[in-house]
Amino acid sequence: MFRTALRNVLAHKARLLMTVLAVTLGVAFVSGTLVFTDTLKKSLSGQSAKSYEGVAVSVTSYGQGRGEDGQKEGEPGISQQTLDKVKALGGVDAVSGRVSGFAGVGDENGKLIGSGWSNKGSNYSPVKDGKDPRYAFTQGSGPARADQIALDKATADAGKYKVGDTVRVATNGPVKEYGLAGVFTTEDGAVQAGGSLVLFDTKVAQELYLKPGYFQELSVGAKAGASADQLLAEIKPLLDDKNTKAQTGAELAREQAKEIERGMGNMSTMLLVFAGISLFVGVFLIYNTFTMLVTQRTKELALLRAVGANRGQVMRSVLAEALVVGALSAALGLIGGIGLAIGIRSLIGSFGAKLPGGELVIAPGTVIAALVIGILVTTVAAVLPAWRTGRIAPVAAMGSAHLPANAKSLLLRNVIGSVISLLGIGLVVLGVSMGGTDGRMVIGAGSFFMLIGMIVLLPLLSKPVIASVRPALQKVFGVPGKLAAQNAVRNPRRTAVTAASLAIGLTLVTTLSVLGITVGKVVDRMSTEKLKADYRVSMSGDMGSLDTSVAETLAKSPGIKAVSPQTSGYFKVGDDFRSASGVNPAAIGQLLNIEVLSGSLDSLAKGELAVAEKTAKNKDLAVGSTLQVQYDDGQKGTLKVGAVYKDMEGLLSPYVIDDKVLAQHSEDPYIREVYVNVDGGASKAGQQKVVDALGKNPAITVATQQDMRNEMGGMINTMLNVMYGLLGMALIISVLGVVNTLAMSVFERTQEIGMLRAIGLDRSRVKNMIRLEAVVISLFGAVLGVAIGVFLAWAVGTTLAKAMPDYALVIPYDRIGIFLLLAAVVGVLAAMWPARSAARLNMLTAIKTE
């Protein structure tokens, strides 16, 4: 029986091609994900370990903590005195102290080099040989004076800087100029991620990022023969600050390796979810293929039964075919996955990210996973067709008296499908009523049951839906249209399975599209309706706080009409921390469209407080209420509520106060952004005026309202495009399913097509019949997927509405129209080969075919 199964595989190579391709694509997605993440994990771990070579002990400060009274306590970092004590230990060879923060370098046009989030500044810390072991200089040397810096080679090359050139460097304050003392190479993660690294003199870096005489980290090197564990034991008693942690370099490297593994695990999980969707869609193609193959070979299998094969042997022969197909597909998928991993690596590199080098990692687990998944998916999908084969009586099969499905089986299927669908809908409705994260989890579970129920019910749905469009098809396309509709519902199981794969893909795509576009519209309304400022000034890449000098400089610049910082702060009321926004009372009304419900914003200038509507209701506050507060510096005071305003989440905190009040009680205020209006309104000249006032600082972004809309819209579109790309594999497999179904259906109907040709249906109309059948099946699946996708987007969106006050569901009819058009195009393209094959049949030969 196994030899028979193998011969059947070889005899039906063309018909099994699409199945092999579908499983190969799914396995390639899985194995490619595993190879890529394993390779990246090993490379990053190796890079991390390399960066701690020679570090026996690492000491890290987490800054000042806060006591029970909320006041800062402890040292701001590791003091020079502590460094000197560590250095004096007998087993210590050298100690280097580090501080770091944001630093940006502009190119010759003043544009920031590298990604904002990975542009870093640190200090050059030479040890006893006069060199810093972390950096290898290709030109010059490290900075030796306050007016010197060193740059990583990639940044120097991008900016066309050479030793001796003047470089403009921005932190969070005004741009400063430094002489370039040297160019170096490094394994620093910021540089490897496509950012930049600027090395300052240690005293300069301390003033910029911490406090003179303090470090954020110490790297301790051991003398030959000294034990890292012994050094660690000697160093710990020297650290009197509870916010400081000491550990061996090896331990720190292991911790970072675990962090990398967790990060890679999240990425791997997301990719594997989409790979699982692709494989799930592939199951329908495999099921259809083996169902049709078994149907076409009914007499052959009946003959095997007649000559002595029992039901189990026939069933095992079909499963053996699936096993061979699965093993071949798994092997090809593994090879494809390795190629995919190499391609992903190159693609990421083309976007400027510098992934660490290293050999491709093909773990034994990846090989086993590819083989198991390929064989298991194919075999499981073939179980039901194989089981049905064994149930057909030999005499009935040889006489062609068997039926593909009886009324009883379809009735049972419809009942089961209805129960599962109602369960799914019920869970979705329950999730909507719950709201929040928990509600979304329940909706996710309900979505799964809804999709399963839909798949089970598709044969029932296909008949009335396709029958409803048959008159239109007949009227527009004539006889080919009528025959196409009849063929589509002739075997409702087959039509349902083919349409199901497209429906699943379109459900996910539609859900993501509706949610993404709706959230984008909410953000757009926030920026257009609530933001009146001409420009928003912020750090590039939202990296940290703006310096207080930014707002001060703009306020003094000619042509600037109104300026207000948006300072993030807090105060305590009892044991409860309250988030607050510090603004300029004289200008904020010109810059933000704040809807005051009671009181007046003029009260902010008197040192009073404005409270958001929801917070006022929750805390039982109204105009005239007072709060006993404790500020960041521990001082206490009384704040009176002078206004209640409609919530502006994303723009303002629940409490708004005069920026000067927050500044008085904060040593280092966090200024998230500054809003600006210029004389004459927004224009290119006005934007340039703001840029010039800030000294053409490459680390500061001056964004128009349109820039802000584009920024958020671009993020959402990028996310959607990534999701579309990941779901693309599932949609490709869906297309293969349509091609496969039509091709095998044409083979089944060879005699019928010959008869149609004989009674006058010419080749062009035969082609139209096959094409229209494909379009009908594709659109049936697409319409169902779009409908379910919109319903699920509504459900998930309802749980987001409380967090987004302006949330209103937006159905992107244009994009949905494109999806349906693409589904029709998919049908036409999928039908090209089967339609051509049908049209080329010799009518006399076809009529004689059994």
Side-chain angles (χ1 to χ4, degrees):
M1 293 303 292
F2 182 76
R3 285 198 299 271
T4 302
L6 190 59
R7 281 197 297 268
N8 282 325
V9 171
L10 296 175
H12 301 105
K13 294 187 291 292
R15 292 182 232 172
L16 290 169
L17 177 62
M18 297 300 173
T19 299
V20 170
L21 189 53
V23 181
T24 297
L25 288 173
V27 172
F29 204 156
V30 173
S31 54
T33 296
L34 294 174
V35 170
F36 173 71
T37 52
D38 285 348
T39 300
L40 190 57
K41 188 193 310 176
K42 184 178 179 181
S43 300
L44 291 172
S45 298
Q47 183 187 73
S48 175
K50 189 174 181 181
S51 66
Y52 287 103
E53 284 181 2
V55 178
V57 176
S58 175
V59 184
T60 304
S61 170
Y62 297 98
Q64 290 177 300
R66 293 185 183 272
E68 293 181 1
D69 58 359
Q71 295 191 51
K72 291 183 179 179
E73 60 180 17
E75 299 286 335
I78 304 165
S79 67
Q80 181 67 46
Q81 290 78 7
T82 301
L83 184 150
D84 293 337
K85 290 177 184 177
V86 171
K87 193 174 182 178
L89 294 174
V92 172
D93 183 49
V95 182
S96 56
R98 309 281 177 187
V99 287
S100 62
F102 171 79
V105 177
D107 60 16
E108 56 187 0
N109 298 317
K111 186 177 179 182
L112 184 68
I113 298 172
S115 306
W117 61 270
S118 57
N119 290 328
K120 182 180 169 185
S122 187
N123 64 306
Y124 181 68
S125 181
V127 289
K128 61 181 182 180
D129 59 356
K131 296 180 180 179
D132 191 325
R134 289 195 179 187
Y135 311 107
F137 280 83
T138 59
Q139 299 177 39
S141 60
R145 305 194 309 267
D147 61 350
Q148 290 183 329
I149 60 163
L151 289 177
D152 68 275
K153 188 175 186 305
T155 302
D157 290 345
K160 300 179 181 178
Y161 292 118
K162 297 180 180 178
V163 172
D165 288 348
T166 298
V167 182
R168 300 174 77 248
V169 180
T171 50
N172 64 342
V175 179
K176 294 182 180 180
E177 294 185 345
Y178 299 88
L180 184 60
V183 176
F184 59 88
T185 58
T186 178
E187 295 293 326
D188 189 280
V191 176
Q192 297 300 321
S196 62
L197 179 60
V198 181
L199 294 181
F200 299 94
D201 175 71
T202 295
K203 289 184 178 179
V204 173
Q206 287 176 329
E207 290 174 358
L208 285 172
Y209 301 125
L210 193 60
K211 192 175 180 179
Y214 286 91
F215 301 93
Q216 294 163 332
E217 178 189 343
L218 299 182
S219 297
V220 183
K223 290 180 179 178
S227 164
D229 290 330
Q230 180 62 36
L231 270 182
L232 179 64
E234 294 176 4
I235 289 171
K236 280 185 175 181
L238 303 178
L239 308 175
D240 53 2
D241 190 345
K242 64 181 181 181
N243 297 314
T244 301
K245 181 181 179 181
Q247 56 193 142
T248 64
E251 185 182 356
L252 185 58
R254 284 194 298 271
E255 275 188 11
Q256 290 206 356
K258 288 179 181 177
E259 286 294 325
I260 290 168
E261 188 170 346
R262 277 194 288 270
M264 290 295 101
N266 294 335
M267 180 197 295
S268 178
T269 299
M270 184 188 74
L271 292 174
L272 288 174
V273 165
F274 286 95
I277 292 170
S278 298
L279 287 167
F280 184 59
V281 170
V283 166
F284 296 101
L285 191 159
I286 300 162
Y287 170 81
N288 244 3
T289 301
F290 278 93
T291 298
M292 296 171 77
L293 279 175
V294 166
T295 302
Q296 292 166 13
R297 287 161 41 206
T298 300
K299 289 187 178 181
E300 173 191 329
L301 295 170
L303 182 59
L304 288 174
R305 290 287 310 280
V307 297
N310 59 34
R311 288 184 176 184
Q313 286 177 310
V314 172
M315 181 176 174
R316 285 194 293 274
S317 73
V318 176
L319 291 177
E321 290 181 46
L323 182 68
V324 172
V325 171
L328 175 63
S329 304
L332 293 174
L334 178 61
I335 296 169
I338 295 169
L340 183 63
I342 295 170
I344 293 173
R345 200 171 176 181
S346 301
L347 181 64
I348 292 175
S350 69
F351 286 116
K354 302 167 189 173
L355 296 179
E359 296 180 354
L360 214 61
V361 177
I362 306 171
T366 301
V367 177
I368 294 169
L371 291 173
V372 169
I373 290 170
I375 294 170
L376 190 64
V377 166
T378 311
T379 307
V380 168
V383 165
L384 190 55
W387 178 73
R388 283 181 181 159
T389 302
R391 293 182 65 200
I392 300 173
V395 175
M398 293 181 74
S400 300
H402 66 285
L403 296 173
N406 55 47
K408 182 180 177 181
S409 66
L410 285 176
L411 177 62
L412 180 62
R413 176 176 182 146
N414 295 336
V415 170
I416 293 171
S418 299
V419 171
I420 296 173
S421 298
L422 289 173
L423 173 62
I425 294 170
L427 286 172
V428 170
V429 173
L430 176 63
V432 169
S433 64
M434 290 172 61
T437 304
D438 292 339
R440 287 191 285 276
M441 292 179 67
V442 174
I443 289 172
S447 304
F448 173 77
F449 285 109
M450 271 189 66
L451 285 173
I452 297 298
M454 173 201 71
I455 292 166
V456 177
L457 282 175
L458 274 176
L460 175 66
L461 296 172
S462 63
K463 286 188 175 183
V465 172
I466 296 176
S468 67
V469 300
R470 186 168 62 187
L473 287 172
Q474 185 174 351
K475 185 175 181 180
V476 176
F477 299 101
V479 174
K482 178 181 178 181
L483 292 173
Q486 289 176 339
N487 289 333
V489 295
R490 177 185 297 182
N491 190 327
R493 288 179 185 271
R494 184 186 302 166
T495 298
V497 173
T498 307
S501 56
L502 274 170
I504 292 168
L506 265 296
T507 295
L508 297 172
V509 167
T510 303
T511 303
L512 292 171
S513 297
V514 173
L515 283 174
I517 290 170
T518 299
V519 171
K521 291 292 183 183
V522 172
V523 174
D524 189 61
R525 281 196 296 271
M526 281 178 55
S527 59
T528 54
E529 296 176 7
K530 296 185 177 180
L531 185 64
K532 296 196 292 185
D534 295 331
Y535 307 106
R536 183 196 67 190
V537 177
S538 60
M539 295 295 292
S540 296
D542 293 326
M543 280 300 297
S545 168
L546 291 165
D547 191 75
T548 53
S549 63
V550 171
E552 294 168 0
T553 301
L554 289 172
K556 297 174 183 176
S557 300
I560 305 292
K561 186 167 64 175
V563 176
S564 175
Q566 220 276 51
T567 304
S568 296
Y570 76 94
F571 50 76
K572 284 180 68 177
V573 178
D575 294 329
D576 187 16
F577 284 89
R578 310 284 177 90
S579 173
S581 290
V583 300
N584 178 2
I588 194 62
Q590 304 172 51
L591 300 164
L592 295 180
N593 188 12
I594 304 175
E595 184 179 344
V596 180
L597 303 175
S598 59
S600 171
L601 288 180
D602 294 338
S603 62
L604 293 175
K606 304 173 187 176
E608 294 182 359
L609 189 67
V611 184
E613 180 184 15
K614 287 182 182 177
T615 301
K617 289 180 180 178
N618 292 336
K619 303 296 182 181
D620 195 23
L621 298 173
V623 173
S625 300
T626 57
L627 294 173
Q628 301 301 316
V629 303
Q630 180 179 331
Y631 295 103
D632 187 30
D633 60 358
Q635 292 188 29
K636 297 180 179 180
T638 301
L639 286 174
K640 181 181 177 182
V641 177
V644 175
Y645 65 93
K646 192 170 182 179
D647 290 72
M648 297 182 67
E649 293 182 34
L651 289 176
L652 287 176
S653 298
Y655 297 91
V656 178
I657 195 171
D658 188 340
D659 180 61
K660 292 178 183 176
V661 175
L662 280 183
Q664 289 171 5
H665 298 285
S666 178
E667 183 180 343
D668 187 19
Y670 187 92
I671 303 175
R672 193 174 69 183
E673 52 210 6
V674 174
Y675 298 119
V676 184
N677 273 351
V678 298
D679 292 335
S683 65
K684 286 188 177 180
Q687 187 176 19
Q688 191 60 47
K689 192 181 295 182
V690 177
V691 171
D692 292 341
L694 295 172
K696 297 181 180 178
N697 191 323
I700 291 179
T701 299
V702 179
T704 65
Q705 288 192 15
Q706 188 60 49
D707 291 334
M708 287 180 261
R709 287 198 295 268
N710 293 343
E711 179 185 324
M712 182 54 66
M715 288 171 58
I716 291 171
N717 285 330
T718 298
M719 179 192 71
L720 286 176
N721 290 335
V722 169
M723 296 299 178
Y724 291 160
L726 293 172
L727 288 169
M729 191 76 76
L731 293 174
I732 290 171
I733 294 173
S734 300
V735 174
L736 296 177
V738 177
V739 175
N740 205 38
T741 298
L742 288 172
M744 299 185 77
S745 178
V746 166
F747 178 82
E748 278 185 1
R749 304 197 319 253
T750 299
Q751 189 179 59
E752 176 188 320
I753 292 170
M755 290 293 293
L756 289 172
R757 289 289 314 283
I759 61 176
L761 199 68
D762 59 26
R763 289 186 174 182
S764 63
R765 288 196 286 179
V766 169
K767 286 183 179 180
N768 283 342
M769 177 184 71
I770 303 298
R771 290 193 194 104
L772 289 171
E773 183 180 347
V775 170
V776 166
I777 293 173
S778 298
L779 284 177
F780 171 56
V783 168
L784 201 61
V786 165
I788 296 174
V790 171
F791 173 70
L792 293 178
W794 165 81
V796 175
T798 303
T799 66
L800 298 171
K802 290 183 180 179
M804 297 180 175
D806 293 330
Y807 185 92
L809 187 70
V810 177
I811 299 177
Y813 293 103
D814 55 344
R815 199 165 292 202
I816 287 174
I818 291 172
F819 294 157
L820 295 177
L821 180 61
L822 287 175
V825 171
V826 162
V828 172
L829 295 177
M832 286 179 65
W833 173 42
R836 185 168 176 269
S837 300
R840 294 179 65 188
L841 286 173
N842 182 289
M843 67 180 74
L844 295 178
T845 305
I847 290 170
K848 292 187 292 182
T849 302
E850 293 188 9

